[in-house]
Amino acid sequence: MNDTTIPLYSRISLNRDFPDYNLKQGDIATFVDTVPDPDGIEEGYILEIFNALGDSIDVVTVPKSAISPLRFDKILSVRSFASTT
């Protein structure tokens, strides 16, 4: 990700997979907060994940470098979200 500040409550996309959360590169989430890294290396971004109908299905924390702002030249798609539990 570049150094552009992403405003709170912006929709973002993931730029890598997170198998533990069943999330994939390109998935869309809403940026809701930040958390400091206790080692001071990279802050975390708290994201809320929604299904295609707008229902909240999870809240996760990922490194700041794992997200990208949405851009006009990208298109949204839909995939199945199979629960990992």
Side-chain angles (χ1 to χ4, degrees), residues 15-26:
N15 59 32
R16 66 180 91 154
D17 293 347
F18 287 92
D20 290 347
Y21 299 136
N22 193 28
L23 296 173
K24 297 185 182 271
Q25 180 178 347

Side-chain angles (χ1 to χ4, degrees), residues 3-23:
D3 288 340
T4 302
T5 300
I6 297 178
L8 280 177
Y9 309 112
S10 295
R11 290 190 310 162
I12 57 83
S13 66
L14 294 174
N15 59 32
R16 66 180 91 154
D17 293 347
F18 287 92
D20 290 347
Y21 299 136
N22 193 28
L23 296 173

Side-chain angles (χ1 to χ4, degrees), residues 40-62:
I41 298 170
E42 181 177 16
E43 69 182 335
Y45 272 32
I46 300 173
L47 308 176
E48 188 165 6
I49 312 299
F50 296 89
N51 68 15
L53 300 177
D55 301 318
S56 179
I57 56 175
D58 205 355
V59 175
V60 301
T61 303
V62 301

